[in-house]
Amino acid sequence: MIYPWHLYLMALLYIIAGIMHFIKPKMYTRIMPMYLPKHLLLVYISGILEVVIGTGLVYTYTKNLAIYTLITMLAVFLLVHFYMLSSKKAAAGIPMYILILRIPLQFVLMYWAYYFLQF
């Protein structure tokens, strides 16, 4: 089945984001909440998950599962975004206005994924 072009864009963005977990893992471990164990392992797992989700989005048999998994992952990642708002150290040098804007962006990304359940 041929899907709208922006589903393929979404898939590509998540695949690239997942690959970046392996290219620049320190960027991701810096923003992990201190209460989570084994930061590097979690970064690698989330990277694998993003690549698998991105790939799953383009196949008819896996698209809906990938979408539900993506929405769940984005909801869980809200914990990291809220953690980064908790202190200057947790913000990892990212300006506060960007950290604040990332919260509604997560919901936009969730809706964007949800939109593709209709196809």
Side-chain angles (χ1 to χ4, degrees):
M1 174 174 209
I2 302 291
Y3 295 116
W5 66 270
H6 44 102
L7 176 66
Y8 297 103
L9 174 64
M10 176 189 286
L12 180 63
L13 291 174
Y14 283 103
I15 291 169
I16 291 169
I19 291 169
M20 289 305 296
H21 284 70
F22 296 93
I23 295 172
K24 300 266 188 188
K26 285 185 181 180
M27 181 172 77
Y28 297 95
T29 56
R30 282 185 9 191
I31 64 172
M32 294 288 287
M34 297 309 296
Y35 56 82
L36 292 176
K38 302 186 188 254
H39 291 170
L40 187 59
L41 177 62
L42 291 175
V43 166
Y44 289 150
I45 289 171
S46 61
I48 291 167
L49 185 60
E50 286 186 17
V51 170
V52 169
I53 288 169
T55 304
L57 287 171
V58 299
Y59 294 102
T60 303
Y61 296 114
T62 57
K63 180 181 69 68
N64 287 354
L65 177 60
I67 289 170
Y68 287 121
T69 306
L70 175 57
I71 292 169
T72 302
M73 181 186 72
L74 290 168
V76 169
F77 285 0
L78 277 169
L79 296 172
V80 172
H81 297 310
F82 282 116
Y83 168 75
M84 292 180 75
L85 289 169
S86 69
S87 71
K88 196 168 192 153
K89 182 180 178 190
I94 299 171
M96 188 60 68
Y97 75 93
I98 291 176
L99 296 176
I100 292 169
L101 288 174
R102 284 173 46 176
I103 304 298
L105 176 62
Q106 286 294 103
F107 292 101
V108 170
L109 293 173
M110 287 181 212
Y111 177 77
W112 189 25
Y114 179 77
Y115 169 82
F116 291 113
L117 287 174
Q118 68 182 315
F119 296 99

